[in-house]
Amino acid sequence: MTRLPFIIETRTHRRPGFALIAPLVAIVVTVVAGLIIMTALGVPPLRALYFLYAAPLSSLYNFGEVLLKMTPLLLIAQALAIGFRAKVWNIGAEGQLILGAIGGSLLPIWFNDSQSTLMLPVMALIGMVFGMGWASIAAWLRTRFNANEILVTLMLNSIALQLLYYLVSGPLRDPAGFNFPQSALFPDAAMLPVLIEGTRVNASLFVGLAATVLAWFFVERSMMGYRLEVGGTAPSAARYAGFSEAQAVWLSLLIGGAAAGLVGVFEVAGPLGQLQRVVSPGYGFAAIIVAFLGGLNAVGILFAAFFMAIIFVGGDIAQTAAGVPYQVNTVLQGVLLVSYIAARLFVDYRVRRRVPPRAVEAHA
């Protein structure tokens, strides 16, 4: 068997600030990649840089759009990072978001004339329960049959999407909506209050920031966070210490499902104002990139979510102003993830040339 001409070794000592190298490299590579792609599509380089990275911050409304898109990314990524630290890989946040949107929409659809102040809190609670219920399918299959949660959660995304299509085209469709696949508009009591006049930023931003604080405290300061990480990363040691691997799986997936379900409610009760065929531009998948770009650290995820939101808004602006395909967004997200993983290889490991046996003997 042919051996590789190099050896990969784990770094035992890293300089202070070394962990920042990978995300910074990934961001620089993504900026350059965006410039190259836009130029190839016929957009002048300076205009490309402006559309993608400067225009999202150029006005109050555009900045509000960045904050609006940052919130769901932040909420989901903080929850996913808790599970990822425990080596529980929830790839189904998109489906859990959709189920949360469906569950949270039931009250304003069935009680469309209600002005109760309890409607929005109950919607949020129902959405979280629906998201957790969808995630619990993967948790049960993992702990009962050792099914791979990556595959299960990924497949559940497709089922959730088809369920949404069926509901908005049938049972939950607005009877006065001219056969469009969407529900009736929500009453005011079911809508999130806008924070900044002239923008679409709503009160969900406060929830996202509060979730960041709670995630930091849970991971860094709580015994439950420690038990969760140990239960997922070292099952044998966890069992010896009385920790449960199954508990780590259930808790990780339920936390992720609750956060994604809540985001689903925020989408239909915020910028959408109704249940539609499309309730997310891919927040559940993009949040996975955000979690890793932030180093699975609560503070790092906050900055990573902000940058990812800029990519979302910049892609929208480029599409409107220059006719750039929306798929550029997806490409840049992929570049961001791949470049981060590649950079982490050299941050976490040392790659050195393998010394041939004859050279060692000659030196001896």
Side-chain angles (χ1 to χ4, degrees), residues 4 52 153 155 162 214 223 268:
L4 295 175
L52 286 177
T153 53
M155 293 301 100
Q162 296 304 317
L214 291 175
M223 176 57 69
V268 295

Side-chain angles (χ1 to χ4, degrees), residues 226-249:
Y226 175 73
R227 290 168 62 97
L228 180 63
E229 186 168 357
V230 172
T233 56
S236 299
R239 283 193 296 269
Y240 180 78
F243 300 161
S244 170
E245 180 186 5
Q247 183 185 44
V249 172

Side-chain angles (χ1 to χ4, degrees), residues 37-38 41 315-316 318-319 322-330:
I37 293 171
M38 293 281 282
L41 292 172
D316 290 341
Q319 183 183 22
V324 174
Y326 183 76
Q327 285 73 14
V328 169
N329 261 345
T330 306

Side-chain angles (χ1 to χ4, degrees), residues 98 102 157-173 180-182 275-280:
I98 291 172
I102 292 172
N157 289 334
S158 298
I159 298 174
L161 190 60
Q162 296 304 317
L163 178 61
L164 174 66
Y165 290 166
Y166 165 72
L167 291 174
V168 296
S169 300
L172 299 183
R173 185 177 61 190
F180 285 103
Q182 59 192 29
L275 186 64
Q276 302 176 355
R277 279 174 60 93
V278 179
V279 296
S280 165

Side-chain angles (χ1 to χ4, degrees), residues 22 38 49 72-73 194 196 213 224 242 284 299 303 311 340 343:
M38 293 281 282
L49 283 174
L73 294 169
V194 174
I196 304 174
V213 176
M224 182 58 71
V299 178
F303 291 100
I311 292 179
Y340 174 78

Side-chain angles (χ1 to χ4, degrees), residues 13-105:
H13 300 287
R14 289 191 291 185
R15 297 175 183 175
F18 217 56
L20 295 176
I21 293 178
L24 290 177
V25 168
I27 290 173
V28 171
V29 170
T30 303
V31 170
V32 174
L35 179 61
I36 294 173
I37 293 171
M38 293 281 282
T39 303
L41 292 172
V43 182
L46 289 180
R47 284 174 60 84
L49 283 174
Y50 174 77
F51 287 149
L52 286 177
Y53 307 111
L57 307 176
S58 63
S59 69
L60 179 63
Y61 179 81
N62 288 346
F63 183 68
E65 290 298 292
V66 171
L67 295 180
L68 181 70
K69 294 184 182 299
M70 181 188 79
T71 300
L73 294 169
L74 182 61
L75 258 172
I76 298 175
Q78 295 289 11
L80 292 182
I82 291 174
F84 292 165
R85 290 170 68 98
K87 300 297 185 291
V88 179
W89 309 108
N90 180 5
I91 313 298
E94 188 76 2
Q96 293 149 24
L97 184 158
I98 291 172
L99 262 292
I102 292 172
S105 298

